[in-house]
Amino acid sequence: MAVLEILKYPHPILKKRSQAVSQIDEEVKKLIQDMKETMYGAGGVGLAACQVGVPRRVIVLDVSPMDPQHSFLVLINPEIISEEGEIDHEEGCLSVPDCLEKVKRREKVCVKGLSPKGMEIEVKADGILAIAVQHEIDHINGVLILDRVSRLKREIYRNKLKKEKRKEEKP
Ligand SMILES: [Zn+2]
């Protein structure tokens, strides 16, 4: 297992739609292990493969620090098959550092996908798990929290990044 580098906004891979996994081979299994270690290493509750530079439809989640009834979960080719309700939730993202934004989400979602063993699974999620699943599925569709906030907020964040970059460039 290895801790991988987490790509940060505005890396172009984060804007791309990830490709479906057609075969769960050794490479995909290793990717899942590395993603698990990377997510825990960064203290995140979810991670999508594109965040570590691999544009495939794989997500890992573990929201147990916020809701102990859940545990580690892997979903390959996840797809939301039903959704219900609406909720505003303040979210952060490992790829968008120092940014916490209120994002509109569905309150409950039902997601289907494949387990690492290739079994079809269906997850009925509410609360923080529902939000995390939608956040990670956004990632594999090339969508970031910055795409879900107002243009003004996006510009404020971009300007903050520019300022920080200028500071770093000064000797
Ligand atoms: Zn994220």
Side-chain angles (χ1 to χ4, degrees):
M1 285 204 278
V3 172
L4 306 171
E5 188 200 344
I6 297 174
L7 303 181
K8 305 278 181 339
Y9 173 84
H11 197 290
I13 288 185
L14 296 170
K15 291 290 286 174
K16 274 197 197 144
R17 192 183 157 86
S18 297
Q19 298 291 312
V21 172
S22 52
Q23 198 190 346
I24 305 168
D25 53 17
E26 287 311 306
E27 207 181 318
V28 171
K29 285 180 189 160
K30 183 177 182 303
L31 170 68
I32 291 167
Q33 288 308 312
D34 289 346
M35 285 171 66
K36 183 179 181 181
E37 197 164 307
T38 305
M39 174 182 75
Y40 286 134
V45 296
L47 193 71
C50 60
Q51 290 181 278
V52 292
V54 182
R56 312 289 300 275
R57 301 182 81 79
V58 179
I59 63 174
V60 297
L61 300 147
D62 187 349
V63 298
S64 62
M66 282 137 133
D67 187 349
Q69 64 168 315
H70 297 295
S71 53
F72 181 68
L73 176 67
V74 182
L75 282 168
I76 299 165
N77 302 339
E79 220 181 299
I80 292 174
I81 50 173
S82 68
E83 50 189 27
E84 216 183 289
E86 223 174 56
I87 192 171
D88 280 321
H89 188 264
E90 194 165 74
E91 292 175 31
C93 178
L94 295 173
S95 293
V96 190
D98 306 318
C99 177
L100 270 180
E101 289 293 350
K102 271 224 163 92
V103 178
K104 238 184 204 23
R105 296 291 186 192
R106 293 301 196 158
E107 206 174 347
K108 292 180 187 172
V109 290
C110 185
V111 186
K112 74 164 194 195
L114 297 174
S115 76
K117 289 194 171 136
M119 304 279 284
E120 199 164 290
I121 45 176
E122 220 176 271
V123 180
K124 284 192 173 74
D126 57 15
I128 187 67
L129 183 63
I131 288 161
V133 163
Q134 290 170 82
H135 180 112
E136 299 315 326
I137 291 178
D138 263 3
H139 271 303
I140 59 175
N141 289 329
V143 176
L144 293 171
I145 50 173
L146 288 174
D147 299 309
R148 293 206 176 269
V149 298
S150 68
R151 209 164 89 186
L152 177 67
K153 283 185 174 167
R154 199 155 52 234
E155 258 154 40
I156 291 172
Y157 185 75
R158 278 200 196 124
N159 287 335
K160 196 165 86 172
L161 281 189
K162 269 186 218 155
K163 250 188 228 161
E164 278 166 16
K165 217 173 157 209
R166 271 203 298 270
K167 254 191 244 163
E168 279 167 23
E169 280 164 2
K170 271 188 199 157

